[in-house]
Each structure stands twice: as structure tokens, then as C-alpha cells.
Amino acid sequence: VALYKSVPTRLLSRAWGRLNQVELPTWLRKPVYSLYIWTFGVNMKEAAVEDLHHYRNLSEFFRRKLKPQVRPVCCLHSVISPSDGKILNFGQVKNCEVEQVKGVTYSLESFLGPRISTEELHFSQAPPGNSFQQQLVTKEGNELYHCVIYLAPGDYHCFHSPTDWRVSHRRHFPGSLMSVNPGVARWIKELFCHNERVVLTGDWKHGFFSLTAVGATNVGSIRIYFDQDLHTNSPCYSKGSYNDFSFISNNNKEGIPMRKGEHLGEFNLGSTIVLIFEAPKDFKFHLKAGQKIRFGEALGSL
């Protein structure tokens, strides 16, 4: 593990990003993309543009859009999958620890960082001395839930809003860009806390809600469509540092309203989405660990 952590994954990811943006000659595009499609099982019939010659470079191909209506958004359930991918873990958060894969956990506070001011998130002040997990739960009788979705290289790489909510704050953690493949996640504890990530926090009708986009090797680029100030995988950063940005201002006291299914952001390859949110005790997930899921399908409901 120590040897793997010493690999300069950020530098390699920036180099890969530069390579991805090199325009390919028209005659080379089909052979290159066809090899990728065959290797990772990409379904091009769902792509808005199926003609491989249309994509000038690998980056455009990775970020391809889908045909309209190919991912219908489930209206019957309160939380939907924000992306295509594989369900690694889900359930209630217990003892301030969250599972990244079965049996391997990470600290909730290390992952999200120190609690954001209650004024900014419209939350009531939690009694002093409560655990970090208890401070996030704003309504009596509610619990904190989590869901981890792994995006493989062949998946659709955009992600969407999983429910109707307001985004009040963005916290960006520069960090490592180690692989988040489930096989690697099993042997590196707190992998998600080491890697670069963008944490969006806010609230929905049941209280606290957060969506975190976790970077990985060759996925140094995380883009949030409404956040033009976000720049990921910069050459220099301080280990353990983070920077905050508030969407609450004198002119905008509500933050960024997001509708269920609305475009939210994209990875420049594939990675992981982690949802951590508050909901009543009767919230039920409609999932099985290890199952494949597509954007728009139900995660859970009351």
C-alpha cells in the first residue's frame, strides 16, 4: 500500500488528461474508439452521436451525451441514481463511519470535513458535545444514510441531481488520485478520504443532503456545471487542505436549486459518487450490493 501511495498519480493523471485532448486524425478515430468500446463494453446505441468520427479526441468520447429519453427519470421514488454505475454499498451511517466497500470503512468527518456553519445551511444549532453524525441530523426521528456508486470506464460519465434539493456549499479537497476500483478499495482504508473530491452540501425536504464526486487515477477533472470557480487536479496543493465556496450570498439566499434528474456535472473518465443524506427512519433503499444501476433508476423512497 505504501509503495502504491508513492506513485505520482496526480502527475500521471494530468499527463493522461493532456493526451486525451490531443485531436486524433479522422482515419484513426474509429480504430481507437472501437478498441475502447470493445475493452470496456460501451453501448454506443445509447449515445446522442453514434458516429465515432464525430469525436475529435478521447476526452470528447469519454464525455459523450446520451439520446433524449434513453434514461427516463423515475417519478415514483424520492431519490434516484445520479449516474450509471455499480452499487458498492448503501445503508444507515453508524458510529460516524461509512463503508466504502463491505468491511472497509472511512470516517464521516474526514470525508466531508468540518461541519459548515448552520446559518449557511438553514439548519438549527446542534447541542454541543454531539457526535459529527448527530450534528448533521436536523430533525428528530431522522437517520443519516449513505450510498456509494462506482462508475467504470465504460459507463456514461455525466452525473445528475438525485433529488429536488438546494446546493448551499462546495468544498474541494485536493488530494491523491488513486484508483477507486472496488478491488483497490478493499485494501486501502479511507481511500475516499485520501483522494481528490468535490463535496456539494445543502438540504432537501427531509434535512441535510450531500453529493460527493470522488476523483481517481486518470480522473483529475471533475466539473460542476454551475460552478465556474472550481479547478481540480492542480499541480500544487497542501496535503489535507481544502477550500470552501458558498453559493449563499446577499443576492442569492437560497443557494442553487436542483431538480431531480437535472444535469449536475461530469467526470473525465469514470470514478465514484457518494451520497450522504438525512431521511426519516422509514426510508428504504431498493438496492442490492454489487448491482448495476443506471441514471434515473430508483435508489430509495419513503
Side-chain angles (χ1 to χ4, degrees):
V1 172
L3 182 63
Y4 178 59
K5 285 182 177 180
S6 69
V7 175
T9 51
R10 290 178 65 86
L11 178 63
L12 292 173
S13 297
R14 280 197 300 277
W16 178 251
R18 298 257 177 96
L19 182 63
N20 280 357
Q21 291 171 8
V22 173
E23 185 166 337
L24 297 176
T26 305
W27 63 268
L28 190 57
R29 294 175 190 177
K30 189 170 182 177
V32 169
Y33 302 146
S34 295
L35 177 62
Y36 188 91
I37 290 166
W38 178 79
T39 303
F40 296 110
V42 178
N43 183 2
M44 284 302 292
K45 292 188 182 304
E46 296 179 332
V49 180
E50 294 184 44
D51 181 11
L52 298 181
H53 296 105
H54 168 81
Y55 302 100
R56 294 173 298 176
N57 53 46
L58 281 163
S59 180
E60 285 189 4
F61 179 70
F62 292 147
R63 295 180 287 109
R64 64 193 175 277
K65 299 297 187 284
L66 297 179
K67 291 174 181 171
Q69 309 306 319
V70 81
R71 294 284 188 278
V73 174
C74 178
C75 299
L76 301 176
H77 299 276
S78 52
V79 183
I80 61 165
S81 177
S83 66
D84 289 6
K86 179 182 181 181
I87 301 295
L88 293 191
N89 222 297
F90 63 92
Q92 281 190 20
V93 176
K94 296 179 180 178
N95 303 319
C96 296
E97 293 278 319
V98 185
E99 284 194 320
Q100 60 190 27
V101 292
K102 189 170 179 62
V104 182
T105 63
Y106 55 94
S107 159
L108 182 65
E109 186 168 8
S110 296
F111 182 67
L112 295 177
R115 190 165 182 248
I116 300 154
S117 70
T118 53
E119 294 82 5
E120 188 173 317
L121 293 179
H122 312 286
F123 292 165
S124 58
Q125 183 67 48
N130 278 11
S131 71
F132 183 80
Q133 179 179 337
Q134 291 170 324
Q135 290 177 24
L136 294 180
V137 177
T138 64
K139 297 179 182 178
E140 190 173 347
N142 280 3
E143 298 286 350
L144 205 62
Y145 297 86
H146 74 100
C147 183
V148 183
I149 305 167
Y150 167 68
L151 289 76
D155 286 328
Y156 166 59
H157 303 309
C158 297
F159 51 93
H160 301 246
S161 176
T163 192
D164 295 337
W165 65 306
R166 294 180 301 175
V167 184
S168 304
H169 189 272
R170 179 259 291 160
R171 176 168 283 161
H172 172 216
F173 290 84
S176 302
L177 287 171
M178 292 181 282
S179 170
V180 292
N181 182 286
V184 176
R186 286 189 185 93
W187 52 271
I188 299 184
K189 183 177 171 62
E190 298 210 324
L191 170 63
F192 294 164
C193 298
H194 292 301
N195 271 16
E196 181 153 14
R197 60 199 182 278
V198 177
V199 183
L200 300 178
T201 51
D203 60 296
W204 70 319
K205 60 183 177 182
H206 300 297
F208 174 80
F209 199 96
S210 73
L211 180 150
T212 302
V214 183
T217 309
N218 299 337
V219 195
S221 173
I222 302 170
R223 183 181 172 199
I224 304 297
Y225 293 138
F226 56 74
D227 188 353
Q228 302 304 313
D229 294 318
L230 175 66
H231 301 287
T232 56
N233 197 11
S234 299
C236 300
Y237 77 100
S238 300
K239 192 173 182 179
S241 66
Y242 62 86
N243 56 76
D244 288 336
F245 184 86
S246 174
F247 298 110
I248 302 291
S249 65
N250 291 332
N251 297 326
N252 177 16
K253 297 186 181 299
E254 296 300 314
I256 308 293
M258 296 298 301
R259 303 293 297 175
K260 184 164 67 172
E262 188 177 350
H263 277 86
L264 183 53
E266 63 188 36
F267 292 110
N268 207 342
L269 193 52
S271 194
T272 298
I273 299 271
V274 180
L275 302 180
I276 297 174
F277 58 93
E278 174 185 359
K281 289 182 178 178
D282 56 352
F283 182 87
K284 301 292 183 192
F285 283 103
H286 307 292
L287 302 171
K288 292 180 181 178
Q291 79 171 71
K292 289 288 290 181
I293 197 163
R294 305 204 303 175
F295 155 59
E297 294 178 346
L299 288 183
S301 61
L302 295 166

